[in-house]
Amino acid sequence: MKNINQDIETNKIKQFYLLFGAEDYLKRQYKDKLVKALVDPDDNMNLNYFEGNGIPVQNVLDIGETLPFFSDHRVIVLENSGLLKKAPEDFEKHLAAFPESTYMIFVEKDVDKRNRLFKWIGKNGYVSEMNTPDEKMLISWVKGLCRSEGKQIDEAAVFYFVEHMGTDMLLLKNELEKLFCYRLEGKQITVEDIKEVCVSQAADKMFDMLDAIGNHNQDKALLLYHDLLALKEPAMRVLYMLTRHFHILMQISELSNIGKDNKQIASACGIPPFSVKKYAAQAGKYSYETLKKMVGKCQETDQGIKTGRISDIVGVELLIVEFSTP
């Protein structure tokens, strides 16, 4: 991402870009940045957009070979085309023959890194994987957005916000906009403001589910999991939360055993100090070795889902059953 910003700032934009990964907000942001740097976003003559599987490949190639109309650049955006999993034969050769005035931006959720087109763009353009930043980076990002609006958010509030709103950057930005409007006259954003304004139904159920697992209440844990699915919460997001939760418990177990205090534990685990007591209560129900095995099971399930050995919904449910069994 830093390289894309540098390309734009130095006016050395490459002819081909691939933006891929799970974080839609970042992909949209950098796609829009590149488009705006090359053409007027309202220029329908020189900006062509295609989305979804089954795009008319020959039409795309014909447009790519056409010189721009009263503009220095022609830009083609292909979004979720599936071409980074399977592209037509000789597709890259056609791209190589494009005039220098044609620029292409591929935006994909999933790619096959063994794909010829993936390797070709990496060699002849720029490939950027855009996944959700870790919690520390998200917190820094949220603070930055607050500063840009002339607002302040204290440590307790920013931790609470990220912890309860999740890691979807678009959702986080939308919820921040609500907070900015709510605190239009004031500068300080508090935990109470977040509770009053922000939607956290799915996040609340997520934490209740984790508590139910920790208390070995299997029926409640499964019921809450199915409630999350009904709320359109992706199974992979639930898996991420499970992995993160038990990794924190594992860290707390280890740090507690060597005599670290709550402030040191909070700093090492990247959690607010006021949350340590809650996490420590759950960590005390497991041995360090058990928690380590649970984190390993989460990672195995993640690998199994990504390689197609098991479906995401079933894989996460099996983990919940195993972890919540008394």
Side-chain angles (χ1 to χ4, degrees), residues 156-176:
V158 73
F159 273 115
Y160 182 90
F161 181 71
V162 172
E163 197 171 38
H164 283 74
M165 294 303 110
T167 57
D168 185 309
M169 295 180 76
L170 182 58
L171 172 64
L172 289 174
K173 191 170 189 300
N174 289 340
E175 295 300 317
L176 277 175

Side-chain angles (χ1 to χ4, degrees), residues 50 54-66 76 83 88-89 91 94 98:
F50 298 88
I55 64 167
V57 173
Q58 190 55 53
N59 188 20
V60 171
L61 296 176
D62 290 342
I63 292 171
E65 292 169 358
T66 306
I76 303 172
L83 292 172
E89 195 72 29
F91 185 69
H94 290 286
F98 280 180

Side-chain angles (χ1 to χ4, degrees), residues 57 65 88 98 114 120 163 198 235 239-240 278 287 313 316 324:
V57 173
E65 292 169 358
F98 280 180
R114 300 166 298 179
W120 188 89
E163 197 171 38
C198 297
L239 178 57
Y240 164 79
K278 179 185 71 174
S287 69
I313 292 174
V316 174
S324 59

Side-chain angles (χ1 to χ4, degrees), residues 37-131:
L38 291 164
V39 295
D40 184 334
D42 295 322
D43 183 355
N44 294 325
M45 296 296 294
N46 296 296
L47 174 61
N48 300 90
Y49 180 84
F50 298 88
E51 183 177 11
N53 289 320
I55 64 167
V57 173
Q58 190 55 53
N59 188 20
V60 171
L61 296 176
D62 290 342
I63 292 171
E65 292 169 358
T66 306
L67 293 173
F69 185 75
F70 290 110
S71 174
D72 292 331
H73 309 123
R74 176 176 295 282
V75 179
I76 303 172
V77 179
L78 302 179
E79 191 153 358
N80 296 321
S81 65
L83 292 172
L84 274 296
K85 287 185 175 180
K86 186 177 181 181
E89 195 72 29
D90 294 334
F91 185 69
E92 309 89 73
K93 291 182 181 179
H94 290 286
L95 300 187
F98 280 180
E100 291 183 358
S101 53
T102 296
Y103 291 77
M104 290 191 77
I105 305 168
F106 295 84
V107 183
E108 302 286 335
K109 195 170 193 72
D110 300 309
V111 302
D112 180 353
K113 294 182 180 180
R114 300 166 298 179
N115 178 280
R116 293 191 325 272
L117 180 57
F118 180 93
K119 294 176 181 177
W120 188 89
I121 297 173
K123 182 178 179 181
N124 297 278
Y126 183 71
V127 173
S128 180
E129 184 170 7
M130 297 185 170
N131 290 319

Side-chain angles (χ1 to χ4, degrees), residues 297-314:
K297 285 276 187 181
C298 289
Q299 293 169 341
E300 287 174 15
T301 299
D302 180 72
Q303 187 64 22
I305 292 168
K306 289 177 177 175
T307 55
R309 296 198 307 270
I310 190 170
S311 76
D312 53 357
I313 292 174
V314 172

Side-chain angles (χ1 to χ4, degrees), residues 87-307:
E89 195 72 29
D90 294 334
F91 185 69
E92 309 89 73
K93 291 182 181 179
H94 290 286
L95 300 187
F98 280 180
E100 291 183 358
S101 53
T102 296
Y103 291 77
M104 290 191 77
I105 305 168
F106 295 84
V107 183
E108 302 286 335
K109 195 170 193 72
D110 300 309
V111 302
D112 180 353
K113 294 182 180 180
R114 300 166 298 179
N115 178 280
R116 293 191 325 272
L117 180 57
F118 180 93
K119 294 176 181 177
W120 188 89
I121 297 173
K123 182 178 179 181
N124 297 278
Y126 183 71
V127 173
S128 180
E129 184 170 7
M130 297 185 170
N131 290 319
T132 303
D134 61 28
E135 204 162 82
K136 184 177 179 181
M137 291 180 66
L138 279 176
I139 287 170
S140 177
W141 175 70
V142 169
K143 287 180 176 178
L145 289 178
C146 289
R147 282 195 300 272
S148 68
E149 291 290 328
K151 305 295 181 186
Q152 297 173 358
I153 184 167
D154 60 35
E155 289 298 311
V158 73
F159 273 115
Y160 182 90
F161 181 71
V162 172
E163 197 171 38
H164 283 74
M165 294 303 110
T167 57
D168 185 309
M169 295 180 76
L170 182 58
L171 172 64
L172 289 174
K173 191 170 189 300
N174 289 340
E175 295 300 317
L176 277 175
E177 292 292 341
K178 292 183 191 177
L179 287 166
F180 296 154
C181 292
Y182 182 70
R183 277 287 166 221
L184 194 60
E185 300 300 325
K187 287 189 174 182
Q188 189 70 37
I189 294 173
T190 65
V191 171
E192 287 68 31
D193 294 335
I194 297 166
K195 289 179 178 178
E196 183 70 26
V197 174
C198 297
V199 177
S200 60
Q201 186 180 11
D204 287 342
K205 287 186 180 291
M206 184 81 77
F207 280 89
D208 288 344
M209 186 195 74
L210 291 167
D211 282 338
I213 291 172
N215 293 322
H216 301 298
N217 189 338
Q218 191 173 99
D219 290 341
K220 184 177 180 180
L222 288 172
L223 179 63
L224 288 164
Y225 175 55
H226 291 132
D227 284 349
L228 285 166
L229 295 177
L231 288 168
K232 308 298 183 185
E233 192 74 11
M236 290 302 285
R237 157 94 174 127
V238 178
L239 178 57
Y240 164 79
M241 288 297 289
L242 281 171
T243 307
R244 172 187 175 277
H245 186 76
F246 287 106
H247 187 259
I248 289 173
L249 296 188
M250 185 181 76
Q251 288 179 291
I252 288 175
S253 177
E254 182 180 30
L255 293 168
S256 297
N257 288 338
I258 60 175
K260 298 295 184 181
D261 60 30
N262 284 3
K263 187 176 180 180
Q264 292 169 317
I265 290 173
S267 176
C269 297
I271 59 175
F274 61 81
S275 294
V276 173
K277 188 175 180 181
K278 179 185 71 174
Y279 281 111
Q282 278 201 8
K285 298 174 183 178
Y286 306 93
S287 69
Y288 174 79
E289 288 303 320
T290 298
L291 289 167
K292 187 175 180 180
K293 287 178 182 177
M294 293 170 86
V295 172
K297 285 276 187 181
C298 289
Q299 293 169 341
E300 287 174 15
T301 299
D302 180 72
Q303 187 64 22
I305 292 168
K306 289 177 177 175
T307 55

